[in-house]
mmCIF file of all heavy atoms in Angstrom:
data_model
loop_
_atom_site.group_PDB
_atom_site.id
_atom_site.type_symbol
_atom_site.label_atom_id
_atom_site.label_comp_id
_atom_site.label_asym_id
_atom_site.label_seq_id
_atom_site.Cartn_x
_atom_site.Cartn_y
_atom_site.Cartn_z
ATOM 1 N N PHE A 1 0.820 -1.210 -0.015
ATOM 2 C CA PHE A 1 -0.017 -0.021 -0.018
ATOM 3 C C PHE A 1 0.863 1.269 -0.012
ATOM 4 O O PHE A 1 0.579 2.252 -0.679
ATOM 5 C CB PHE A 1 -0.913 0.008 1.240
ATOM 6 C CG PHE A 1 -1.719 1.283 1.390
ATOM 7 C CD1 PHE A 1 -2.872 1.470 0.654
ATOM 8 C CD2 PHE A 1 -1.321 2.257 2.287
ATOM 9 C CE1 PHE A 1 -3.582 2.649 0.815
ATOM 10 C CE2 PHE A 1 -2.026 3.416 2.420
ATOM 11 C CZ PHE A 1 -3.181 3.638 1.691
ATOM 12 N N GLY A 2 1.928 1.232 0.785
ATOM 13 C CA GLY A 2 2.857 2.352 0.793
ATOM 14 C C GLY A 2 3.535 2.608 -0.508
ATOM 15 O O GLY A 2 3.712 3.767 -0.957
ATOM 16 N N MET A 3 3.937 1.526 -1.204
ATOM 17 C CA MET A 3 4.539 1.671 -2.529
ATOM 18 C C MET A 3 3.566 2.275 -3.542
ATOM 19 O O MET A 3 3.924 3.074 -4.364
ATOM 20 C CB MET A 3 5.065 0.309 -3.009
ATOM 21 C CG MET A 3 6.313 -0.140 -2.228
ATOM 22 S SD MET A 3 7.124 -1.592 -2.993
ATOM 23 C CE MET A 3 5.977 -2.861 -2.516
ATOM 24 N N LEU A 4 2.294 1.824 -3.422
ATOM 25 C CA LEU A 4 1.237 2.419 -4.310
ATOM 26 C C LEU A 4 1.100 3.876 -4.016
ATOM 27 O O LEU A 4 0.930 4.695 -4.936
ATOM 28 C CB LEU A 4 -0.079 1.666 -4.069
ATOM 29 C CG LEU A 4 -1.273 2.181 -4.869
ATOM 30 C CD1 LEU A 4 -1.072 1.990 -6.386
ATOM 31 C CD2 LEU A 4 -2.536 1.479 -4.389
ATOM 32 N N MET A 5 1.120 4.242 -2.729
ATOM 33 C CA MET A 5 1.010 5.663 -2.355
ATOM 34 C C MET A 5 2.211 6.474 -2.889
ATOM 35 O O MET A 5 2.018 7.598 -3.365
ATOM 36 C CB MET A 5 0.953 5.778 -0.839
ATOM 37 C CG MET A 5 0.510 7.120 -0.304
ATOM 38 S SD MET A 5 0.180 7.022 1.475
ATOM 39 C CE MET A 5 1.834 7.295 2.089
ATOM 40 N N GLU A 6 3.381 5.882 -2.849
ATOM 41 C CA GLU A 6 4.559 6.579 -3.347
ATOM 42 C C GLU A 6 4.495 6.774 -4.904
ATOM 43 O O GLU A 6 4.828 7.856 -5.388
ATOM 44 C CB GLU A 6 5.851 5.789 -2.997
ATOM 45 C CG GLU A 6 7.121 6.534 -3.161
ATOM 46 C CD GLU A 6 7.640 6.592 -4.595
ATOM 47 O OE1 GLU A 6 7.320 5.621 -5.358
ATOM 48 O OE2 GLU A 6 8.320 7.536 -4.958
ATOM 49 N N ARG A 7 4.000 5.775 -5.599
ATOM 50 C CA ARG A 7 3.937 5.873 -7.060
ATOM 51 C C ARG A 7 2.862 6.820 -7.505
ATOM 52 O O ARG A 7 3.015 7.517 -8.545
ATOM 53 C CB ARG A 7 3.611 4.447 -7.609
ATOM 54 C CG ARG A 7 4.770 3.466 -7.674
ATOM 55 C CD ARG A 7 5.791 3.785 -8.767
ATOM 56 N NE ARG A 7 6.726 4.787 -8.337
ATOM 57 C CZ ARG A 7 7.566 5.435 -9.167
ATOM 58 N NH1 ARG A 7 7.493 5.224 -10.448
ATOM 59 N NH2 ARG A 7 8.427 6.324 -8.713
ATOM 60 N N THR A 8 1.729 6.897 -6.755
ATOM 61 C CA THR A 8 0.626 7.689 -7.241
ATOM 62 C C THR A 8 0.626 9.127 -6.694
ATOM 63 O O THR A 8 0.048 10.022 -7.285
ATOM 64 C CB THR A 8 -0.716 7.043 -6.874
ATOM 65 O OG1 THR A 8 -0.749 6.802 -5.476
ATOM 66 C CG2 THR A 8 -0.877 5.705 -7.592
ATOM 67 N N LEU A 9 1.250 9.328 -5.532
ATOM 68 C CA LEU A 9 1.204 10.672 -4.892
ATOM 69 C C LEU A 9 2.574 11.264 -4.673
ATOM 70 O O LEU A 9 2.851 12.385 -5.140
ATOM 71 C CB LEU A 9 0.474 10.535 -3.524
ATOM 72 C CG LEU A 9 -1.005 10.127 -3.564
ATOM 73 C CD1 LEU A 9 -1.526 9.921 -2.121
ATOM 74 C CD2 LEU A 9 -1.834 11.136 -4.262
ATOM 75 N N LEU A 10 3.442 10.576 -3.947
ATOM 76 C CA LEU A 10 4.673 11.186 -3.450
ATOM 77 C C LEU A 10 5.719 11.418 -4.534
ATOM 78 O O LEU A 10 6.534 12.340 -4.394
ATOM 79 C CB LEU A 10 5.264 10.280 -2.333
ATOM 80 C CG LEU A 10 4.427 10.177 -1.070
ATOM 81 C CD1 LEU A 10 5.031 9.206 -0.105
ATOM 82 C CD2 LEU A 10 4.241 11.563 -0.402
ATOM 83 N N GLN A 11 5.695 10.653 -5.594
ATOM 84 C CA GLN A 11 6.688 10.797 -6.646
ATOM 85 C C GLN A 11 6.635 12.163 -7.279
ATOM 86 O O GLN A 11 7.589 12.678 -7.814
ATOM 87 C CB GLN A 11 6.617 9.689 -7.671
ATOM 88 C CG GLN A 11 5.358 9.760 -8.572
ATOM 89 C CD GLN A 11 5.559 8.987 -9.850
ATOM 90 O OE1 GLN A 11 6.680 8.791 -10.345
ATOM 91 N NE2 GLN A 11 4.417 8.486 -10.395
ATOM 92 N N TRP A 12 5.402 12.794 -7.243
ATOM 93 C CA TRP A 12 5.240 14.069 -7.904
ATOM 94 C C TRP A 12 5.797 15.187 -7.079
ATOM 95 O O TRP A 12 5.961 16.365 -7.556
ATOM 96 C CB TRP A 12 3.763 14.365 -8.161
ATOM 97 C CG TRP A 12 3.122 13.236 -8.913
ATOM 98 C CD1 TRP A 12 2.192 12.397 -8.461
ATOM 99 C CD2 TRP A 12 3.359 12.917 -10.291
ATOM 100 N NE1 TRP A 12 1.840 11.479 -9.430
ATOM 101 C CE2 TRP A 12 2.549 11.817 -10.586
ATOM 102 C CE3 TRP A 12 4.166 13.434 -11.294
ATOM 103 C CZ2 TRP A 12 2.499 11.181 -11.827
ATOM 104 C CZ3 TRP A 12 4.147 12.824 -12.525
ATOM 105 C CH2 TRP A 12 3.317 11.723 -12.804
ATOM 106 N N LEU A 13 6.238 14.893 -5.837
ATOM 107 C CA LEU A 13 6.797 15.943 -4.950
ATOM 108 C C LEU A 13 8.358 15.941 -5.009
ATOM 109 O O LEU A 13 8.954 16.669 -4.232
ATOM 110 C CB LEU A 13 6.349 15.701 -3.519
ATOM 111 C CG LEU A 13 4.825 15.697 -3.280
ATOM 112 C CD1 LEU A 13 4.534 15.451 -1.811
ATOM 113 C CD2 LEU A 13 4.212 16.980 -3.796
ATOM 114 N N SER A 14 8.914 15.128 -5.864
ATOM 115 C CA SER A 14 10.381 14.999 -5.928
ATOM 116 C C SER A 14 11.001 16.363 -6.265
ATOM 117 O O SER A 14 10.568 17.019 -7.249
ATOM 118 C CB SER A 14 10.798 13.962 -6.963
ATOM 119 O OG SER A 14 12.196 13.924 -7.098
ATOM 120 N N GLY A 15 11.935 16.830 -5.484
ATOM 121 C CA GLY A 15 12.613 18.084 -5.732
ATOM 122 C C GLY A 15 11.987 19.269 -5.115
ATOM 123 O O GLY A 15 12.523 20.401 -5.119
ATOM 124 N N LEU A 16 10.760 19.087 -4.556
ATOM 125 C CA LEU A 16 10.077 20.231 -3.901
ATOM 126 C C LEU A 16 10.425 20.313 -2.461
ATOM 127 O O LEU A 16 11.123 19.458 -1.892
ATOM 128 C CB LEU A 16 8.536 20.036 -4.057
ATOM 129 C CG LEU A 16 7.961 20.026 -5.478
ATOM 130 C CD1 LEU A 16 6.468 19.793 -5.412
ATOM 131 C CD2 LEU A 16 8.313 21.316 -6.207
ATOM 132 N N ASP A 17 10.062 21.407 -1.823
ATOM 133 C CA ASP A 17 10.331 21.617 -0.420
ATOM 134 C C ASP A 17 9.711 20.494 0.444
ATOM 135 O O ASP A 17 8.613 19.963 0.109
ATOM 136 C CB ASP A 17 9.768 22.988 0.028
ATOM 137 C CG ASP A 17 10.239 23.359 1.439
ATOM 138 O OD1 ASP A 17 9.535 23.037 2.363
ATOM 139 O OD2 ASP A 17 11.286 24.014 1.563
ATOM 140 N N HIS A 18 10.353 20.181 1.571
ATOM 141 C CA HIS A 18 9.853 19.102 2.487
ATOM 142 C C HIS A 18 8.474 19.356 2.986
ATOM 143 O O HIS A 18 7.740 18.460 3.314
ATOM 144 C CB HIS A 18 10.786 19.013 3.716
ATOM 145 C CG HIS A 18 12.179 18.516 3.352
ATOM 146 N ND1 HIS A 18 13.307 18.822 4.083
ATOM 147 C CD2 HIS A 18 12.603 17.711 2.342
ATOM 148 C CE1 HIS A 18 14.342 18.225 3.516
ATOM 149 N NE2 HIS A 18 13.943 17.573 2.452
ATOM 150 N N LEU A 19 8.062 20.638 3.044
ATOM 151 C CA LEU A 19 6.750 20.995 3.610
ATOM 152 C C LEU A 19 5.650 20.379 2.757
ATOM 153 O O LEU A 19 4.627 20.000 3.344
ATOM 154 C CB LEU A 19 6.602 22.507 3.629
ATOM 155 C CG LEU A 19 5.307 23.066 4.198
ATOM 156 C CD1 LEU A 19 5.150 22.660 5.647
ATOM 157 C CD2 LEU A 19 5.233 24.592 4.073
ATOM 158 N N TYR A 20 5.807 20.271 1.442
ATOM 159 C CA TYR A 20 4.803 19.683 0.641
ATOM 160 C C TYR A 20 4.542 18.220 0.932
ATOM 161 O O TYR A 20 3.415 17.775 1.029
ATOM 162 C CB TYR A 20 5.191 19.837 -0.887
ATOM 163 C CG TYR A 20 5.184 21.222 -1.360
ATOM 164 C CD1 TYR A 20 6.317 21.985 -1.416
ATOM 165 C CD2 TYR A 20 3.937 21.858 -1.772
ATOM 166 C CE1 TYR A 20 6.338 23.334 -1.854
ATOM 167 C CE2 TYR A 20 3.924 23.143 -2.222
ATOM 168 C CZ TYR A 20 5.100 23.895 -2.273
ATOM 169 O OH TYR A 20 5.118 25.201 -2.741
ATOM 170 N N GLY A 21 5.622 17.460 1.142
ATOM 171 C CA GLY A 21 5.519 16.045 1.509
ATOM 172 C C GLY A 21 4.859 15.897 2.882
ATOM 173 O O GLY A 21 4.057 15.017 3.109
ATOM 174 N N LEU A 22 5.252 16.785 3.868
ATOM 175 C CA LEU A 22 4.664 16.738 5.171
ATOM 176 C C LEU A 22 3.127 16.967 5.154
ATOM 177 O O LEU A 22 2.372 16.239 5.758
ATOM 178 C CB LEU A 22 5.370 17.726 6.114
ATOM 179 C CG LEU A 22 5.051 17.660 7.572
ATOM 180 C CD1 LEU A 22 6.252 18.154 8.398
ATOM 181 C CD2 LEU A 22 3.831 18.501 7.944
ATOM 182 N N LEU A 23 2.745 17.992 4.403
ATOM 183 C CA LEU A 23 1.326 18.329 4.297
ATOM 184 C C LEU A 23 0.535 17.193 3.587
ATOM 185 O O LEU A 23 -0.558 16.845 4.043
ATOM 186 C CB LEU A 23 1.130 19.632 3.584
ATOM 187 C CG LEU A 23 1.573 20.877 4.310
ATOM 188 C CD1 LEU A 23 1.488 22.138 3.453
ATOM 189 C CD2 LEU A 23 0.777 21.100 5.577
ATOM 190 N N LEU A 24 1.120 16.639 2.526
ATOM 191 C CA LEU A 24 0.435 15.563 1.789
ATOM 192 C C LEU A 24 0.250 14.327 2.655
ATOM 193 O O LEU A 24 -0.838 13.776 2.782
ATOM 194 C CB LEU A 24 1.208 15.203 0.551
ATOM 195 C CG LEU A 24 0.651 14.052 -0.268
ATOM 196 C CD1 LEU A 24 -0.765 14.338 -0.715
ATOM 197 C CD2 LEU A 24 1.539 13.718 -1.462
ATOM 198 N N THR A 25 1.347 13.906 3.323
ATOM 199 C CA THR A 25 1.270 12.702 4.161
ATOM 200 C C THR A 25 0.373 12.943 5.415
ATOM 201 O O THR A 25 -0.286 12.000 5.904
ATOM 202 C CB THR A 25 2.647 12.223 4.626
ATOM 203 O OG1 THR A 25 3.358 13.344 5.239
ATOM 204 C CG2 THR A 25 3.455 11.753 3.416
ATOM 205 N N PHE A 26 0.337 14.163 5.909
ATOM 206 C CA PHE A 26 -0.566 14.510 7.016
ATOM 207 C C PHE A 26 -1.984 14.355 6.580
ATOM 208 O O PHE A 26 -2.835 13.806 7.290
ATOM 209 C CB PHE A 26 -0.284 15.890 7.494
ATOM 210 C CG PHE A 26 -1.130 16.341 8.626
ATOM 211 C CD1 PHE A 26 -1.045 15.739 9.870
ATOM 212 C CD2 PHE A 26 -2.097 17.383 8.473
ATOM 213 C CE1 PHE A 26 -1.895 16.135 10.943
ATOM 214 C CE2 PHE A 26 -2.906 17.770 9.535
ATOM 215 C CZ PHE A 26 -2.790 17.171 10.774
ATOM 216 N N GLY A 27 -2.302 14.850 5.413
ATOM 217 C CA GLY A 27 -3.651 14.660 4.840
ATOM 218 C C GLY A 27 -4.017 13.228 4.636
ATOM 219 O O GLY A 27 -5.138 12.802 4.952
ATOM 220 N N VAL A 28 -3.081 12.394 4.133
ATOM 221 C CA VAL A 28 -3.299 10.969 3.937
ATOM 222 C C VAL A 28 -3.584 10.337 5.294
ATOM 223 O O VAL A 28 -4.506 9.493 5.441
ATOM 224 C CB VAL A 28 -2.129 10.298 3.255
ATOM 225 C CG1 VAL A 28 -2.236 8.821 3.291
ATOM 226 C CG2 VAL A 28 -2.035 10.804 1.775
ATOM 227 N N ALA A 29 -2.823 10.709 6.324
ATOM 228 C CA ALA A 29 -3.028 10.120 7.669
ATOM 229 C C ALA A 29 -4.403 10.438 8.172
ATOM 230 O O ALA A 29 -5.087 9.548 8.755
ATOM 231 C CB ALA A 29 -1.928 10.689 8.642
ATOM 232 N N LEU A 30 -4.877 11.667 8.026
ATOM 233 C CA LEU A 30 -6.193 12.034 8.480
ATOM 234 C C LEU A 30 -7.308 11.237 7.767
ATOM 235 O O LEU A 30 -8.276 10.824 8.353
ATOM 236 C CB LEU A 30 -6.453 13.533 8.274
ATOM 237 C CG LEU A 30 -5.621 14.496 9.132
ATOM 238 C CD1 LEU A 30 -5.952 15.946 8.803
ATOM 239 C CD2 LEU A 30 -5.845 14.236 10.608
ATOM 240 N N ILE A 31 -7.110 11.029 6.469
ATOM 241 C CA ILE A 31 -8.092 10.249 5.665
ATOM 242 C C ILE A 31 -8.153 8.796 6.153
ATOM 243 O O ILE A 31 -9.243 8.240 6.422
ATOM 244 C CB ILE A 31 -7.726 10.301 4.167
ATOM 245 C CG1 ILE A 31 -7.948 11.712 3.643
ATOM 246 C CG2 ILE A 31 -8.649 9.323 3.402
ATOM 247 C CD1 ILE A 31 -7.452 11.938 2.229
ATOM 248 N N ILE A 32 -6.936 8.165 6.335
ATOM 249 C CA ILE A 32 -6.900 6.789 6.761
ATOM 250 C C ILE A 32 -7.513 6.622 8.143
ATOM 251 O O ILE A 32 -8.353 5.760 8.394
ATOM 252 C CB ILE A 32 -5.451 6.285 6.753
ATOM 253 C CG1 ILE A 32 -4.926 6.230 5.310
ATOM 254 C CG2 ILE A 32 -5.350 4.862 7.374
ATOM 255 C CD1 ILE A 32 -3.435 5.887 5.235
ATOM 256 N N GLN A 33 -7.108 7.482 9.079
ATOM 257 C CA GLN A 33 -7.650 7.425 10.428
ATOM 258 C C GLN A 33 -9.188 7.674 10.439
ATOM 259 O O GLN A 33 -9.883 6.989 11.194
ATOM 260 C CB GLN A 33 -6.935 8.401 11.359
ATOM 261 C CG GLN A 33 -5.469 8.037 11.608
ATOM 262 C CD GLN A 33 -4.726 9.098 12.383
ATOM 263 O OE1 GLN A 33 -5.301 10.144 12.700
ATOM 264 N NE2 GLN A 33 -3.485 8.884 12.697
ATOM 265 N N GLY A 34 -9.641 8.618 9.645
ATOM 266 C CA GLY A 34 -11.076 8.907 9.594
ATOM 267 C C GLY A 34 -11.868 7.751 9.056
ATOM 268 O O GLY A 34 -12.953 7.441 9.639
ATOM 269 N N LEU A 35 -11.347 7.061 8.019
ATOM 270 C CA LEU A 35 -12.065 5.897 7.518
ATOM 271 C C LEU A 35 -12.149 4.779 8.543
ATOM 272 O O LEU A 35 -13.229 4.188 8.740
ATOM 273 C CB LEU A 35 -11.348 5.390 6.239
ATOM 274 C CG LEU A 35 -11.494 6.272 4.974
ATOM 275 C CD1 LEU A 35 -10.543 5.751 3.885
ATOM 276 C CD2 LEU A 35 -12.942 6.282 4.527
ATOM 277 N N PHE A 36 -11.032 4.483 9.203
ATOM 278 C CA PHE A 36 -11.047 3.380 10.184
ATOM 279 C C PHE A 36 -11.921 3.768 11.384
ATOM 280 O O PHE A 36 -12.628 2.914 11.933
ATOM 281 C CB PHE A 36 -9.649 3.072 10.584
ATOM 282 C CG PHE A 36 -8.902 2.110 9.682
ATOM 283 C CD1 PHE A 36 -8.242 2.591 8.590
ATOM 284 C CD2 PHE A 36 -8.918 0.734 9.929
ATOM 285 C CE1 PHE A 36 -7.554 1.708 7.715
ATOM 286 C CE2 PHE A 36 -8.276 -0.113 9.103
ATOM 287 C CZ PHE A 36 -7.592 0.339 7.989
ATOM 288 N N GLN A 37 -11.884 5.012 11.816
ATOM 289 C CA GLN A 37 -12.697 5.433 12.944
ATOM 290 C C GLN A 37 -14.152 5.442 12.627
ATOM 291 O O GLN A 37 -14.988 5.100 13.485
ATOM 292 C CB GLN A 37 -12.223 6.848 13.405
ATOM 293 C CG GLN A 37 -12.690 7.196 14.798
ATOM 294 C CD GLN A 37 -12.022 8.480 15.291
ATOM 295 O OE1 GLN A 37 -11.366 9.200 14.529
ATOM 296 N NE2 GLN A 37 -12.169 8.752 16.549
ATOM 297 N N ASN A 38 -14.516 5.709 11.386
ATOM 298 C CA ASN A 38 -15.888 5.703 10.937
ATOM 299 C C ASN A 38 -16.491 4.294 11.050
ATOM 300 O O ASN A 38 -17.645 4.090 11.406
ATOM 301 C CB ASN A 38 -16.005 6.248 9.583
ATOM 302 C CG ASN A 38 -17.441 6.353 9.076
ATOM 303 O OD1 ASN A 38 -18.283 6.914 9.746
ATOM 304 N ND2 ASN A 38 -17.738 5.737 7.936
ATOM 305 N N TYR A 39 -15.647 3.286 10.684
ATOM 306 C CA TYR A 39 -16.164 1.885 10.633
ATOM 307 C C TYR A 39 -16.008 1.133 11.947
ATOM 308 O O TYR A 39 -16.770 0.238 12.241
ATOM 309 C CB TYR A 39 -15.452 1.145 9.495
ATOM 310 C CG TYR A 39 -15.991 1.451 8.135
ATOM 311 C CD1 TYR A 39 -15.300 2.356 7.302
ATOM 312 C CD2 TYR A 39 -17.181 0.921 7.670
ATOM 313 C CE1 TYR A 39 -15.786 2.706 6.024
ATOM 314 C CE2 TYR A 39 -17.674 1.262 6.414
ATOM 315 C CZ TYR A 39 -16.966 2.123 5.582
ATOM 316 O OH TYR A 39 -17.432 2.460 4.349
ATOM 317 N N PHE A 40 -14.952 1.526 12.729
ATOM 318 C CA PHE A 40 -14.668 0.728 13.931
ATOM 319 C C PHE A 40 -14.782 1.511 15.228
ATOM 320 O O PHE A 40 -14.580 0.953 16.314
ATOM 321 C CB PHE A 40 -13.232 0.134 13.819
ATOM 322 C CG PHE A 40 -13.058 -0.756 12.621
ATOM 323 C CD1 PHE A 40 -12.433 -0.273 11.493
ATOM 324 C CD2 PHE A 40 -13.505 -2.031 12.642
ATOM 325 C CE1 PHE A 40 -12.274 -1.109 10.360
ATOM 326 C CE2 PHE A 40 -13.367 -2.890 11.534
ATOM 327 C CZ PHE A 40 -12.762 -2.389 10.395
ATOM 328 N N GLY A 41 -15.052 2.787 15.143
ATOM 329 C CA GLY A 41 -15.201 3.605 16.374
ATOM 330 C C GLY A 41 -13.819 3.835 16.999
ATOM 331 O O GLY A 41 -12.766 3.626 16.375
ATOM 332 N N SER A 42 -13.825 4.337 18.223
ATOM 333 C CA SER A 42 -12.591 4.655 18.897
ATOM 334 C C SER A 42 -12.143 3.648 19.907
ATOM 335 O O SER A 42 -11.028 3.735 20.451
ATOM 336 C CB SER A 42 -12.763 6.066 19.615
ATOM 337 O OG SER A 42 -13.037 7.075 18.682
ATOM 338 N N SER A 43 -12.997 2.719 20.249
ATOM 339 C CA SER A 43 -12.657 1.707 21.246
ATOM 340 C C SER A 43 -11.701 0.677 20.648
ATOM 341 O O SER A 43 -11.665 0.439 19.447
ATOM 342 C CB SER A 43 -13.910 1.013 21.812
ATOM 343 O OG SER A 43 -14.623 0.398 20.730
ATOM 344 N N GLY A 44 -10.967 0.010 21.540
ATOM 345 C CA GLY A 44 -9.993 -0.969 21.068
ATOM 346 C C GLY A 44 -10.578 -2.335 20.798
ATOM 347 O O GLY A 44 -11.577 -2.723 21.402
ATOM 348 N N LEU A 45 -9.997 -3.033 19.801
ATOM 349 C CA LEU A 45 -10.397 -4.379 19.480
ATOM 350 C C LEU A 45 -9.332 -5.354 20.009
ATOM 351 O O LEU A 45 -8.128 -5.117 19.889
ATOM 352 C CB LEU A 45 -10.537 -4.524 17.988
ATOM 353 C CG LEU A 45 -11.514 -3.599 17.308
ATOM 354 C CD1 LEU A 45 -11.398 -3.664 15.791
ATOM 355 C CD2 LEU A 45 -12.945 -3.963 17.733
ATOM 356 N N PRO A 46 -9.751 -6.409 20.691
ATOM 357 C CA PRO A 46 -8.760 -7.297 21.287
ATOM 358 C C PRO A 46 -8.012 -8.174 20.234
ATOM 359 O O PRO A 46 -8.631 -8.582 19.245
ATOM 360 C CB PRO A 46 -9.641 -8.179 22.227
ATOM 361 C CG PRO A 46 -10.982 -8.176 21.565
ATOM 362 C CD PRO A 46 -11.133 -6.849 20.924
ATOM 363 N N TYR A 47 -6.778 -8.415 20.508
ATOM 364 C CA TYR A 47 -5.976 -9.349 19.705
ATOM 365 C C TYR A 47 -5.161 -10.211 20.643
ATOM 366 O O TYR A 47 -4.377 -9.720 21.441
ATOM 367 C CB TYR A 47 -4.999 -8.576 18.777
ATOM 368 C CG TYR A 47 -4.282 -9.423 17.744
ATOM 369 C CD1 TYR A 47 -4.903 -9.681 16.533
ATOM 370 C CD2 TYR A 47 -3.109 -10.012 18.028
ATOM 371 C CE1 TYR A 47 -4.234 -10.489 15.616
ATOM 372 C CE2 TYR A 47 -2.419 -10.794 17.142
ATOM 373 C CZ TYR A 47 -3.011 -11.058 15.877
ATOM 374 O OH TYR A 47 -2.387 -11.858 14.974
#
C-alpha cells in the first residue's frame, strides 16, 4: 500500500520543499484514520 502511495502521490513531490511532503502525508493520515474510525469507532479491538 505504501509503494502504491509513493507511485501515485509522493513521486510528484520530488525536488520540492519538504513542507509539501509533510502536508500531503498529514492529509493521507487524516483520511486513513477517519475511515477506520468511521467503521470501527474509537474503542480498542482485542488481539
Side-chain angles (χ1 to χ4, degrees):
F1 174 80
M3 289 190 286
L4 178 65
M5 193 170 86
E6 194 279 332
R7 283 286 84 193
T8 55
L9 297 174
L10 295 175
Q11 69 161 333
W12 307 110
L13 303 181
S14 177
L16 297 179
D17 189 270
H18 293 151
L19 182 61
Y20 291 97
L22 189 151
L23 291 174
L24 176 60
T25 54
F26 180 65
V28 170
L30 292 179
I31 292 171
I32 294 173
Q33 288 173 2
L35 288 173
F36 276 86
Q37 197 169 9
N38 183 53
Y39 283 100
F40 300 101
S42 299
S43 59
L45 301 171
Y47 188 89

